[in-house]
Amino acid sequence: YLMAIARLKQQLASGKSDEVVAALEQLKADFPDLAGGDLDAFIEAEKIYAKHDLGKAGKGYKEFLDTWPDSPLQPAAMERYFSIGAAFLQGQKRTFLKVLRLPAFDDGVEIMRHIADKAGNSPIALRALQVTAENQERRKQFIEAYHTWAEIASRWPTGPAGRDALLRMGTALHASYNGPQY
């Protein structure tokens, strides 16, 4: 079962959702005693992700992460959820009322914050916070970026992550200064 999960994670990294859904269905057929609600929820989220409906897929992955924190599929779901948040932060639009396509920057920030809270001090939490802060800097939200870099510096006070966060805090604070008239 663990070998099948490892192969599944490799297919997830390749990014081909159709193959992943087929592998998940095969995993469910091969190990019916271990297949449960977590596998079913993950398969449903993957099917929605394969249809490129990132909003609904994000909700599915969030529900999966909240409902089954001890599932062996947790890291794979976290990576997919991260990719959805990154897509929203990079400008991917979200369908609203089946007609309007609106920017989803706030949804991306919310997803990344959720990942950072769930993952603790793991590398994906650091990546989520860094992507969030860099996006805030690109959108000229320097005070918010400063606070995100400060959170990184407080969570990882030593090493290159903490050092870089302190430098970026100073850069963001300097960029927020509007001159002596301000």
Side-chain angles (χ1 to χ4, degrees):
Y1 181 73
L2 293 177
M3 290 296 292
I5 294 289
R7 276 180 279 165
L8 177 68
K9 289 178 184 175
Q10 289 175 346
Q11 288 176 337
L12 281 169
S14 72
K16 297 178 181 172
S17 296
D18 297 333
E19 291 177 10
V20 172
V21 171
L24 284 167
E25 295 291 345
Q26 184 65 35
L27 180 70
K28 190 175 178 180
D30 290 345
F31 302 99
D33 53 332
L34 297 175
D38 60 339
L39 185 60
D40 292 336
F42 189 76
I43 289 173
E44 286 305 312
E46 273 296 313
K47 286 179 180 178
I48 295 169
Y49 185 82
K51 293 177 186 174
H52 302 291
D53 189 352
L54 297 182
K56 287 183 182 176
K59 288 178 185 176
Y61 288 119
K62 182 179 189 296
E63 181 181 313
F64 175 85
L65 292 171
D66 291 341
T67 308
W68 289 281
D70 296 331
S71 172
L73 296 169
Q74 187 82 7
M78 192 80 72
E79 283 294 331
R80 282 289 200 217
Y81 197 44
F82 178 86
S83 68
I84 291 170
F88 284 158
L89 288 176
Q90 291 172 0
Q92 179 76 33
K93 304 225 185 269
R94 185 172 186 188
T95 304
F96 181 69
L97 296 175
K98 297 184 181 182
V99 177
L100 300 172
R101 297 198 31 90
L102 302 174
F105 293 117
D106 293 337
D107 293 336
V109 170
E110 182 181 322
I111 287 171
M112 293 301 190
R113 290 285 179 187
H114 189 257
I115 289 171
D117 291 342
K118 280 277 186 206
N121 287 340
S122 69
I124 195 166
L126 175 62
R127 286 188 327 180
L129 289 173
Q130 286 174 335
V131 167
T132 301
E134 289 168 356
N135 178 267
Q136 290 166 335
E137 287 176 347
R138 274 195 306 275
R139 292 187 303 139
K140 301 198 183 314
Q141 297 175 339
F142 297 114
I143 300 300
E144 289 86 355
Y146 170 81
H147 290 295
T148 306
W149 287 118
E151 183 179 348
I152 292 170
S154 67
R155 278 183 158 182
W156 294 273
T158 59
R163 181 192 65 224
D164 293 344
L166 286 174
L167 176 64
R168 299 293 290 266
M169 282 170 59
T171 304
L173 204 56
H174 178 71
S176 70
Y177 181 64
N178 288 334
Q181 294 80 11
Y182 176 72

